[in-house]
Amino acid sequence: MLGAGVMGAQIAAHFANAGVPALLLDLTADAAAKGLQRTRTLTPDPFFTSDTWKLISTAGFDEGLIRLGDADWIVEAVVEQLDIKRQLLARVDAARRPGSIVSSNTSAISITALAEGRSDDFRTHWLGTHFFNPPRYLRLLEVIPTTDTSPQTVDTVHQFADRHLGKGVVLAKDSPGFIGNHVALYGMLKILSTVAAGKYTIEEVDAITGPPLGRPKSASFRTIDLAGLDIVAHVVDDLHQRLSDEEARATFVLPRFVREMLKRGLTGEKAGQGFYKRVKTAAGDSEILTLDPATLDYRPQNRPKLPSLEAAGTNVSTAERIRTLFNGRDRVGEFLRTTLAPALVYAANVAPDVAHSRDDVDWVLRWGFGWELGPIELIDAIGVKAVLDAAREHSPELLESGIPPLLSEPVRSERDTIRDGSLLPADTTAFEILRSARERSRIVRKNAGASLVDLEDGVLCVEFHSKMNAIGADTIQMLQAGVREASKNFAALVVGNEAPHFSAGANLMLVLLEAQEENWDEIDLMVRAFQQATMSLRYADVPVVVAPSGLALGGGCEIALHGDRIQAAAETYIGLVEVGVGLIPGGGGTKEMTARASEQRAAGSTDLLPPIQQAFETIGFGKVSTSAPDARRLGYLQPTDGVTMNRDRLIADAKARALQRVADGYQPPALRTAVPVGGDAVLAPLKLGVHLAWRAGRISDHDALIGRKLATIMSGGTLPHPTTVSEQHLLDLEREAFMSLVAERKTQERMQHTLKTGKPLRN
């Protein structure tokens, strides 16, 4: 990795996440080391685990370039200046071995121009690889070959980035700004012009252009602050200089107030101030101020009054919500017709010049900017006619030369959409196979909480589809039905979905309502049913592979723990968090972590305390993994479990793993009839630790109560000495503790507070 700046060091970090050793170079060894150290302090964390950074070594260019002969792939990510990059690449050409791949992470400079004067072998193995910031979290990788780049080079980078780095790869043409920056910045400049004209406030724009449009919470101006206004300005200026179309060039000009922001150093997060600024109040609290574009002074935030945003609701599809907002006769509708419509027409117009297919434009904005719907999808959601009518009214210059070819065919055929159906998966062989199965009517059975879907080749899938995939009676019923159906008619079972989150846990509202009504028998039946469901997964006649991604909390974690294997997305945040709402894991999670800890004690050791104490702290502190590799450290994933870097391949990988288990001659595990437990030898020190934490004021009375109950379960109960117990014994202890805690007033207060605020209460 050539260049240890913000991007270079983070790209090296993500290679390390993939298990690939990386050499990070900069002008001096000290600069490279500082770049790595700075990256280790970033938030969000670029690394999967606390020690992943150790796969990165550092050096200065003088001594490091000599080592390029050992590298398979060399990525240049130095300052965005053509002459500096060319000088460095000349040195790389002399030091690299023939056949090694060289790429540039430039966001704007011509890839062809950078390779001028280089050797034939260099140019054959040369291309652009535009990672988006932050590389770990933004999936997009724009790959930009030149006319000299060999197809084999393109395919090698594409396959490696897809499968090992988890990237959504899009081939872009070597045009100014490539796809993402060119298309996205046009829309951003339209927004900036409305703010410069004083028509909308910064708060109003961000309220409209965030989740209501199916975009990240950072919306428009918070996104610029995160990316850096100076970086945005550099790309805008480059587009202004390099675009051949005069009208387009005239659009890519920053408003005067933005230029003044740059002069004053108001570049965003890295400068501590941009469109927003965080300050301390006299009371010591943190407050976020907003820039006034007219004066460039900061003022307290003004809450936008845009009733149509609330009226649009969250119970409709993103497409339906955007269509409603766009057609609204209010400030929101006017804003969208003024800014979004021209941006969509512009995207349709330049798509053939920047991308190899219209689908690629949508994938770039989805993967690189976090949009739920790309530009072509948005045109189809709103309607071609409505978009064109709004663009004619607010940006007539866009249509002076006629309707873009991408839109003219629907107009001629009197259709209101570009596509006949939805956006196709980027790789139909592996991506979104659940959606594909549903569209081919492969649903075996369904209720409100989950479905049984035939993935073909003898594999059945239990797919959750409740809100946040919360686990209720419907979900439990379908889990049990899935095990029965798979045992009768299939070779294997997968539990997973293609939603952003596997499961946020059990339906807490349902548990709270039953507790407030003192329906203890109902709660007891719920807990028993959940335990039976997880145990049926563990002891199914066929292999069960659970495929979590995103949040897999509480009950979602318990389901994962009971599969024969876990195939987790790299970005999986898994944990038993029940203590946060005053409970303990009651669906088999406490039992399973206890049994695993007992099995994982040091070879030949009879001391159960160290592994049990570690598992006790994991549950007691509600620890959640920061990634799938981190979940191994916490004991949620075992050595036999797998990790998928590319989220879109998760279900396909889980299916393949399930079939491999069948091929290996799967046999259900034997019942655990003799789980080693420590009795009082473990219970006493665990209770002492709880007591000392309470005495020191680190935990409340109720925390201490929960801790004692958890300790009792994980010790096997109140037993005088170490012995063995059955799994059912641990499940009974777990259920009894859950039932006693849910009846506590302070537990119900915690549950109510969490449901209301989304935050834990320490009462």
Side-chain angles (χ1 to χ4, degrees), residues 69-83:
D70 299 328
D72 299 306
W73 184 357
I74 302 160
V75 183
E76 172 274 311
V78 297
V79 63
E80 289 281 84
Q81 293 184 25
L82 179 62
D83 55 342

Side-chain angles (χ1 to χ4, degrees), residues 206-403:
D206 274 357
I208 297 169
T209 60
L213 292 190
R215 299 182 187 177
K217 291 181 180 179
S218 55
S220 297
F221 292 108
R222 177 64 179 148
T223 296
I224 296 179
D225 277 355
L226 291 169
L229 184 60
D230 52 337
I231 303 298
V232 172
H234 173 79
V235 179
V236 169
D237 291 344
D238 182 78
L239 285 161
H240 176 76
Q241 293 169 10
R242 294 176 58 203
L243 288 172
S244 57
D245 185 278
E246 285 298 323
E247 289 180 0
R249 289 183 62 193
T251 301
F252 285 92
V253 176
L254 291 169
R256 186 177 302 171
F257 87 90
V258 177
R259 289 291 177 195
E260 185 59 32
M261 287 178 66
L262 290 166
K263 288 181 183 178
R264 299 188 186 187
L266 309 181
T267 54
E269 188 81 6
K270 58 189 173 187
Q273 51 188 352
F275 290 100
Y276 295 102
K277 179 180 181 179
R278 188 183 296 273
V279 298
K280 288 285 187 182
T281 65
D285 299 324
S286 180
E287 181 183 7
I288 297 176
L289 304 179
T290 305
L291 185 78
D292 184 338
T295 64
L296 295 191
D297 293 328
Y298 289 93
R299 56 165 176 75
Q301 289 196 19
N302 295 325
R303 184 178 177 84
K305 296 180 180 179
L306 301 167
S308 62
L309 293 183
E310 295 182 11
T314 58
N315 294 324
V316 296
S317 69
T318 301
E320 185 178 347
R321 182 171 62 250
I322 292 172
R323 181 167 58 251
T324 300
L325 293 173
F326 185 93
N327 292 321
R329 296 298 152 181
D330 64 342
R331 284 179 62 76
V332 174
E334 185 67 18
F335 173 83
L336 294 177
R337 291 188 292 275
T338 302
T339 61
L340 181 60
L344 297 180
V345 172
Y346 185 81
N349 190 37
V350 302
D353 300 323
V354 301
H356 293 282
S357 81
R358 67 190 186 194
D359 288 355
D360 287 344
V361 177
D362 280 345
W363 286 118
V364 164
L365 273 296
R366 277 171 164 250
W367 286 335
F369 295 84
W371 293 15
E372 289 182 31
L373 300 175
I376 309 305
E377 290 178 292
L378 285 169
I379 293 173
D380 286 349
I382 297 167
V384 172
K385 184 179 184 302
V387 170
L388 285 172
D389 287 347
R392 284 193 188 95
E393 179 181 353
H394 298 286
S395 294
E397 71 282 357
L398 280 174
L399 299 167
E400 286 179 356
S401 301
I403 297 174

